[in-house]
Amino acid sequence: MHISNHNAQDLRVLYGERFRWYLLFTVMIGTMASIISSTIFNVAIPAMSHHFQLGQSRAQWVTSSFMVATTVAMLTTPWLLTRYGYRNTYLGAVVLLMLGGIGGGFSTDYNLVLVARVVEGLAAGVIQPIPAIIILHAFAPNEQGRANGLFGMGIVLAPAIGPSVGGLLVDWMGWRSVFFMVVPLCLASIWLGLRYVPVNAPGGASADRKGKSLDWIGLGIATVGTICLLNGLVALHGTSWQESAVLLAIALACFPGFVAWEKRMLARGEKPLMDLRLFACKPFAAGCIVAFIYGTALFGSTYLLPVFMQLGLSYSASVVGTTMLPAGLVLGGVIALAGRMADRTPAHWLVIGGLALLALSFVLTGVLQPGSSLWLLVGYTVLGRIGLGFILPSLTLGSMRPLDKSLISQGSSTFSFLRMLGGAAGVSLCGIFLEWRVGYYAAQSAAVEIAMAERVSAFRDTFALLAVVCVLAGIAALQLRARPTPAAH
């Protein structure tokens, strides 16, 4: 195995202009592994729930625990990159992701499954902000949309192919087998990373092993706030409203506490976990609001759709995965096109148009019945993925292009953090709302067991909720209409 210990400048001399594409491809493989670990397990949730005899609210914590860990870990990426450089940070996270996958695959206890998901989530959180940092540093402004589109085209193949293969694995080998899907991608990413990922930190600076320590207090406040927020949302539908009120009050108190602490860190010349100067940039602040609301709809639907197909429409896990494959392939083509358009078209038009298509797909999917044509389901899913294709590259670039180079790492982690925080809340809200509506429709019926029609009605209401969330995100996206001026290189 060829191992280089070069910085970015040396690798650029060694490989020429191809180096930036090699680097982008390398981090794309690792990001694909992290996304697969996030999305593939959704098709295994019903089988795992049956195996451990879990209720809906407890089963969804397999997804939520991953998202909590991912969300919090994203805030550490800028510090890790400064302290250890691109290569050590990236490869360390990939190795951790692989260990989480192997550990989860051999788990025979539900608590061990949760631990494995948390480990995978921590690794994914460190990995996922890195590509945007690389694109904004390594590519010229007029190429960033193309790079982001090509990167996104590769990334969406992971959730497109993953559930299809995962569904077959669940039917053939059981739910534990889906954990092992990340291992080949992690091994490939390690091999490529040793060749093409530079050892330096963002901006070309050397990794500073003796630099300032991590903002542990800020990280602790963010962690407590995130956990209390999600547990409080789950407890809303429980029997103890007092517990929910206490948890949500703590989460609410953590927000001003976190802001005050980060301001203090900045005033003292320390390295804050989140640089609040980012929000002085209007496009970035607006983009973060859109990202949070959009994350709620995106990750909520990613959790909800496979469950709806299995529990609402009575499809097997393998059929669910195969049904979602065409939509993923379409998304890959659309996102590449949208990436090129993002270099020329105002971001808010692309984002609002994409959100409108996504909301329409939710409404149409919600009216499907067990006897509906499978092709209708495929078509509505494709429609939603077309919407996603227009949102993803334009929202990221429209929010982060105006940032100063020195704030790009912080901007990427903060943007990703808020999107994932919305996503984690979205998964919890979907699980809670769905269970509430199932109970509501069951109470209207005199039957002992919940009928299929009642369950489908509950799913319809939940998809309608996601459509409303998309409309709210579209309103917030109007603030992106100011055309940002890319920062000078």
Side-chain angles (χ1 to χ4, degrees):
M1 179 186 297
H2 174 69
I3 302 176
S4 70
N5 291 306
H6 300 305
N7 58 32
Q9 185 176 356
D10 294 335
L11 289 172
R12 192 173 290 109
V13 171
L14 183 62
Y15 295 107
E17 290 300 312
R18 298 170 298 171
F19 158 67
R20 53 186 179 168
W21 296 104
Y22 294 159
L23 175 59
L24 187 62
F25 177 76
T26 300
V27 296
M28 181 180 75
I29 299 299
T31 309
M32 286 175 65
S34 72
I35 292 175
I36 280 182
S37 68
S38 172
T39 58
I40 191 177
F41 206 81
N42 292 327
V43 298
I45 286 176
M48 185 208 65
S49 301
H50 178 74
H51 179 83
F52 291 116
Q53 297 182 336
L54 305 174
Q56 182 72 29
S57 60
R58 196 169 174 216
Q60 61 91 26
W61 260 104
V62 175
T63 300
S64 293
S65 63
F66 180 97
M67 287 191 171
V68 170
T70 301
T71 302
V72 174
M74 283 175 170
L75 293 175
T76 68
T77 301
W79 179 83
L80 289 169
L81 290 174
T82 301
R83 183 95 167 197
Y84 300 105
Y86 279 118
R87 177 179 297 172
N88 289 333
T89 299
Y90 176 72
L91 292 185
V94 170
V95 170
L96 186 64
L97 180 66
M98 183 169 64
L99 293 177
I102 294 172
F106 287 110
S107 296
T108 57
D109 181 80
Y110 175 66
N111 293 322
L112 293 178
V113 172
L114 283 180
V115 171
R117 293 294 286 165
V118 169
V119 170
E120 286 187 310
L122 291 173
V126 173
I127 292 171
Q128 291 184 19
I130 294 178
I133 297 171
I134 288 175
I135 288 172
L136 289 167
H137 275 293
F139 292 85
N142 62 345
E143 293 181 319
Q144 289 168 0
R146 178 188 173 202
N148 207 24
L150 292 176
F151 172 80
M153 182 175 64
I155 290 303
V156 299
L157 291 177
I161 298 174
S164 301
V165 179
L168 295 174
L169 288 175
V170 170
D171 285 348
W172 295 345
M173 302 173 64
W175 60 268
R176 291 189 190 91
S177 60
V178 300
F179 273 105
F180 294 109
M181 277 197 65
V182 302
V183 175
L185 286 173
C186 287
L187 291 174
S189 191
I190 291 170
W191 181 78
L192 290 167
L194 291 171
R195 295 175 64 95
Y196 301 122
V197 178
V199 298
N200 60 273
S206 300
D208 186 5
R209 296 292 183 91
K210 297 181 180 180
K212 295 177 180 178
S213 63
L214 180 65
D215 179 11
W216 290 104
I217 293 179
L219 183 62
I221 296 173
T223 302
V224 170
T226 301
I227 292 175
C228 287
L229 172 64
L230 298 182
N231 276 290
L233 289 173
V234 172
L236 273 176
H237 193 50
T239 56
S240 175
W241 65 266
Q242 295 95 336
E243 177 187 356
S244 173
V246 170
L247 290 172
L248 291 176
I250 294 173
L252 187 62
C254 283
F255 176 70
F258 179 78
V259 172
W261 176 257
E262 296 306 289
K263 285 183 176 179
R264 182 181 177 185
M265 290 285 289
L266 198 60
R268 291 163 51 183
E270 299 290 333
K271 189 74 173 177
L273 191 69
M274 182 185 294
D275 195 326
L276 299 180
R277 293 176 299 176
L278 291 164
F279 297 100
C281 175
K282 183 178 178 181
F284 180 81
C288 285
I289 295 173
V290 177
F292 180 85
I293 303 173
Y294 160 72
T296 301
L298 172 62
F299 289 98
S301 65
T302 301
Y303 163 77
L304 186 66
L305 196 55
V307 179
F308 170 61
M309 292 182 191
Q310 293 179 77
L311 300 184
L313 303 181
S314 301
Y315 292 124
S316 67
S318 57
V319 171
V320 170
T322 305
T323 300
M324 297 178 70
L325 179 59
L329 296 176
V330 169
L331 174 58
V334 172
I335 203 170
L337 172 64
R340 290 181 176 272
M341 293 176 65
D343 286 327
R344 310 184 299 271
T345 308
H348 71 285
W349 288 122
L350 295 175
V351 173
I352 291 172
L355 287 167
L357 292 177
L358 187 59
L360 179 60
S361 75
F362 288 150
V363 172
L364 294 174
T365 301
V367 300
L368 290 175
Q369 299 294 321
S372 300
S373 169
L374 182 62
W375 289 109
L376 278 178
L377 178 60
V378 172
Y380 297 157
T381 307
V382 167
L383 181 66
R385 292 307 182 260
I386 292 174
L388 283 178
F390 283 107
I391 297 168
L392 293 173
S394 49
L395 179 58
T396 303
L397 291 179
S399 303
M400 293 186 57
R401 269 177 174 166
L403 292 177
D404 185 79
K405 285 284 187 180
S406 63
L407 293 175
I408 285 176
S409 295
Q410 281 271 355
S412 180
S413 68
T414 299
F415 184 85
S416 300
F417 167 77
L418 291 172
R419 185 187 67 230
M420 286 299 298
L421 184 62
V427 171
S428 294
L429 285 171
C430 279
I432 298 161
F433 191 82
L434 175 63
E435 193 167 339
W436 170 52
R437 298 309 292 171
V438 167
Y440 171 81
Y441 286 111
Q444 308 301 310
S445 172
V448 177
E449 294 185 358
I450 299 173
M452 179 67 71
E454 295 163 356
R455 185 179 290 114
V456 170
S457 295
F459 277 107
R460 178 199 63 207
D461 293 351
T462 310
F463 278 114
L465 174 68
L466 292 177
V468 172
V469 169
C470 287
V471 172
L472 294 176
I475 295 172
L478 290 171
Q479 300 303 314
L480 288 170
R481 60 186 144 194
R483 182 75 177 185
T485 302
H489 283 253

